[in-house]
Amino acid sequence: MASELAGVGRVTNRQLLDLAIRAPRVMIDGVETSAALGIRRGTVVSIEPFEVVPLAPRVVTLEADVVLIPGLVDTHVHINEPGRTEWEGFESATAAAAAAGVTTIIDMPLNSLPPTLTAAALATKRKVARGRCHVDVGFWGGAVPTNLADLPDLFADGVFGVKCFLQDSGVPEFPPLSATELLTAMRVVADIGGLMLVHAEDPGVLHVSPTPQGRSYAAFVDSRPDTAEAVAIATVIEASAATGCRAHIVHLSSAAGADLVRRAKAAGVPITAETCPHYLTLAAETIPDGSPQFKCCPPIRGGADQDALWAALADGTIDIVVTDHSPSTPELKLLEVGDLGLAWGGIASLQFGFAAVLAQATRRGVTLADVLRWMSSGPADLAGLPAKGRIAIGADADLVALADGERFTVTTESIKHRHPVTPYLGAELLGVVRRRWLRGTELQDDMVAGQLLRKQS
């Protein structure tokens, strides 16, 4: 591979480089090779053999025990600011992202106040975020029954797509769409050429399911059955097929849901799907009762569903893995009470999702290249960010030096999220971030170098 790179992307005027990184191990196009990267104005402008020492004012040569990978991209993060900043915020969320090697995140339109339902609300979010982000941040908009006329302006102002719920979102300011409203909204989004993200659980199924209460995790899972997900996904597939709107199923949790997506893709429906680290690394059978830090919706299901999700990633049914980082305050999690029915749902995992998936992938014989496709280039492609999630000429120099063979244990002191609450506390994970660069700038712990991203039409 190194010899093949010899003539690729040479810079005629090498003195114009700002930085060069020589890596004995680097992931390029899904292959581990060795290379010397030339970086100018935040962009990779040359890829040459490792033996080349590019002419640059700063040349970094990495050790052989680290692999240079593209910065990770997480397109499902709830930052919650403004309005619920006591849950999380731009400063703390992006610090956690940087610690994990995540160099780009896209913020969900809820649980902030106001939610990102109008161009004015989007401007408010940008104002609050400006100058406070450690990594690059983009924004999803939202679709609710009362804002369908606002969707064109949201897209015009640079959201990467819009998200909706089919059942109660948990916050009154972000109500769900009915099946009829979903069809109407998807027609609007299709006309714009946009993307509709859907939290797919069916309210009718949930209404007749057992009411969650008490400390039993099994009882909580019973209250959110896989049939609720399957029925809702079928609704989305029907709407996508009818409108031609690109649809994306967020946090897919079940074998039944994956099978529906698989069949819809085979039929040519423009649908994609994501799953999350907690569904891939945790199983209902091992979750202790009275542990609300494991509560999320849809719930973490059993080992059989976990195996099915890994198989769906392998065959391309599921496209990406993102965290759905959705923290709240410890008080709302009711950690001391442990009532799974009353506690707020949401997994805090932005800092640990990649390392958890990498550990599980290694146990399953899944390669680092696969994990990067699911957690770097894939999410970037979903959002339409061609300069992110890959090491290539013309791409942003978002780079991570990863000690991929080094393990670490999650401690309270290591957590950079606003609150030290995560189901990964005490877990041994794989992959230590040694260094990271954002558009060619090496990130130090307190450095605020992130930019606010807009979807380019």
Side-chain angles (χ1 to χ4, degrees):
M1 180 70 175
S3 61
E4 294 173 5
L5 294 170
V8 176
R10 287 179 179 269
V11 177
T12 304
N13 255 327
R14 289 188 186 162
Q15 66 269 24
L16 297 180
L17 295 178
D18 303 315
L19 169 69
I21 301 178
R22 300 174 65 243
R25 300 174 60 214
V26 56
M27 296 298 299
I28 299 176
D29 291 333
V31 177
E32 183 179 311
T33 183
S34 60
L37 309 183
I39 296 163
R40 183 176 65 219
R41 296 179 183 175
T43 301
V44 177
V45 296
S46 67
I47 302 176
E48 303 197 68
F50 174 73
E51 294 75 21
V52 172
V53 182
L55 182 62
R58 179 163 172 74
V59 178
V60 174
T61 300
L62 298 177
E63 300 83 1
D65 67 334
V66 301
V67 58
L68 190 67
I69 65 172
L72 305 170
V73 179
D74 193 337
T75 53
H76 196 147
V77 179
H78 294 266
I79 295 177
N80 305 328
E81 186 176 16
R84 292 189 175 97
T85 312
E86 69 275 13
W87 293 15
E88 188 68 282
F90 286 101
E91 196 285 328
S92 54
T94 59
V102 177
T103 52
T104 303
I105 63 177
I106 302 188
D107 173 58
M108 280 292 168
L110 72 164
N111 302 302
S112 58
L113 293 169
T116 316
L117 298 176
T118 64
L122 176 61
T124 297
K125 273 213 174 184
R126 286 198 175 113
K127 182 178 180 180
V128 171
R130 192 167 291 114
R132 301 181 58 210
C133 298
H134 298 271
V135 302
D136 287 355
V137 177
F139 301 91
W140 299 113
V144 300
T146 56
N147 85 323
L148 301 189
D150 296 296
L151 296 183
D153 285 344
L154 268 174
F155 278 96
D157 275 8
V159 298
F160 288 85
V162 291
K163 178 186 181 180
C164 70
F165 281 71
L166 299 187
Q167 89 300 333
D168 182 14
S169 71
V171 291
E173 66 274 4
F174 205 99
L177 299 178
S178 67
T180 300
E181 291 164 339
L182 174 68
L183 194 64
T184 301
M186 290 180 76
R187 288 196 181 103
V188 173
V189 174
D191 287 343
I192 298 168
L195 176 66
M196 174 69 84
L197 287 72
V198 186
H199 180 131
E201 288 181 288
D202 183 78
V205 175
L206 294 179
H207 180 70
V208 298
S209 299
T211 301
Q213 57 185 339
R215 296 169 56 85
S216 169
Y217 187 79
F220 170 65
V221 175
D222 288 343
S223 75
R224 318 283 299 209
D226 60 357
T227 50
E229 184 169 69
V231 170
I233 289 174
T235 299
V236 176
I237 290 169
E238 183 178 354
S240 179
T243 62
C245 179
R246 289 191 300 134
H248 180 73
I249 304 299
V250 298
H251 46 55
L252 183 63
S253 71
S254 68
D259 187 55
L260 284 168
V261 172
R262 183 179 290 110
R263 284 186 276 158
K265 284 188 168 188
V269 178
I271 191 167
T272 52
E274 70 188 37
T275 192
C276 303
H278 41 279
Y279 300 128
L280 297 172
T281 66
L282 305 171
E285 298 91 336
T286 63
I287 294 175
D289 290 341
S291 301
Q293 64 269 36
F294 291 89
K295 178 181 177 179
C296 59
C297 299
I300 298 164
R301 306 189 190 278
D305 282 289
Q306 184 182 105
D307 290 342
L309 295 175
W310 279 99
L313 282 165
D315 70 17
T317 297
I318 298 176
D319 302 87
I320 62 173
V321 179
V322 289
T323 62
D324 188 12
H325 176 69
S326 187
S328 63
T329 63
E331 291 77 17
L332 286 173
K333 293 300 281 186
L334 299 179
L335 297 175
E336 295 184 3
V337 177
D339 191 309
L340 275 298
L342 298 176
W344 185 265
I347 300 290
S349 59
L350 178 56
Q351 188 177 344
F352 306 112
F354 172 73
V357 171
L358 185 59
Q360 182 68 220
T362 300
R363 285 191 285 270
R364 290 174 176 262
V366 176
T367 67
L368 173 62
D370 288 330
V371 175
L372 291 175
R373 187 174 72 254
W374 301 329
M375 303 191 75
S376 192
S377 60
D381 291 344
L382 174 77
L385 289 168
K388 299 294 188 183
R390 67 209 78 228
I391 297 176
I393 293 171
D396 289 350
D398 299 346
L399 305 165
V400 176
L402 179 75
D404 56 328
E406 186 174 342
R407 296 182 178 273
F408 69 97
T409 299
V410 178
T411 64
T412 299
E413 295 73 26
S414 67
I415 297 173
K416 294 184 179 294
H417 310 149
R418 185 174 295 279
H419 302 289
V421 178
T422 176
Y424 296 109
L425 185 63
E428 184 182 76
L429 306 181
L430 179 62
V432 173
V433 173
R434 294 268 182 86
R435 305 174 75 170
R436 47 267 131 109
W437 292 264
L438 179 64
R439 282 173 277 98
T441 296
E442 185 165 8
L443 296 179
Q444 307 302 323
D445 283 346
D446 296 327
M447 185 178 291
V448 175
Q451 296 182 358
L452 303 185
L453 306 176
R454 294 173 182 263
K455 179 73 165 68
Q456 301 301 312
S457 58

